[in-house]
């Protein structure tokens, strides 16, 4: 069975850092694009970052550019989201998702989410 498991969330102060991990159990992890989404209280889900089949193929929402870095380690079937200079506006549940076609339009599997809370 395919599994997508996020970890690394927690409570940090403004300006702090966290590393989120997304560990994927699937036959051919290297065939999947991976995305990080987040949903803040009372708001819709938004994509935060995504990575293609190689580390150089990445995207970021404008609000996190320069602060967040996505990377993947195919040997470990894991994708990371390094979050620096965190702001209260980053508070949300962060979800990892994978797709063999389109990470925005056609997610194949979702993780359960991990809570990130940034205090003022």
């Amino acid at each position: 069975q395919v599994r997508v498991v996020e970890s690394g969330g927690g409570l940090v102060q403004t300006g702090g850092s966290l590393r989120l991990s997304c560990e994927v159990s699937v036959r051919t992890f290297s065939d999947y694009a991976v995305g990080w989404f987040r949903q803040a209280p009372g708001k819709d889900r938004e994509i935060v970052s995504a990575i293609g089949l190689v580390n150089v193929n990445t995207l970021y929402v404008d609000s996190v550019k320069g602060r967040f870095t996505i990377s993947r380690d195919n040997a470990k079937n894991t994708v990371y989201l390094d979050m620096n200079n965190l702001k209260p506006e980053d508070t949300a549940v962060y979800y990892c998702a994978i797709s063999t076609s389109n990470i925005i339009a056609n997610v194949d599997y979702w993780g359960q989410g991990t809570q990130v809370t940034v205090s003022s």
Side-chain angles (χ1 to χ4, degrees):
Q1 184 63 263
V2 175
R3 294 183 294 276
V4 180
V5 182
E6 306 96 331
S7 62
L11 174 64
V12 298
Q13 295 182 346
T14 298
S17 300
L18 286 173
R19 166 173 266 201
L20 304 185
S21 298
C22 175
E23 186 173 2
V24 179
S25 179
V26 69
R27 291 185 67 182
T28 51
F29 177 67
S30 59
D31 288 341
Y32 288 84
V34 182
W36 284 98
F37 299 77
R38 68 185 180 188
Q39 186 166 23
K43 297 183 178 180
D44 293 331
R45 181 200 67 198
E46 66 171 346
I47 191 164
V48 178
S49 183
I51 189 166
L53 305 187
V54 295
N55 276 298
V56 296
N57 186 16
T58 60
L59 65 85
Y60 301 90
V61 68
D62 285 345
S63 60
V64 308
K65 287 181 179 178
R67 299 189 297 119
F68 291 10
T69 302
I70 191 170
S71 62
R72 68 188 296 159
D73 186 341
N74 285 350
K76 297 182 178 180
N77 280 27
T78 301
V79 167
Y80 304 98
L81 186 67
D82 290 298
M83 306 186 296
N84 300 305
N85 192 24
L86 283 161
K87 304 175 180 180
E89 304 90 87
D90 297 317
T91 295
V93 177
Y94 284 71
Y95 299 91
C96 183
I98 63 174
S99 175
T100 57
S101 56
N102 188 312
I103 192 62
I104 296 174
N106 189 28
V107 169
D108 292 322
Y109 299 97
W110 291 91
Q112 80 290 337
T114 185
Q115 176 71 48
V116 172
T117 303
V118 184
S119 63
S120 301

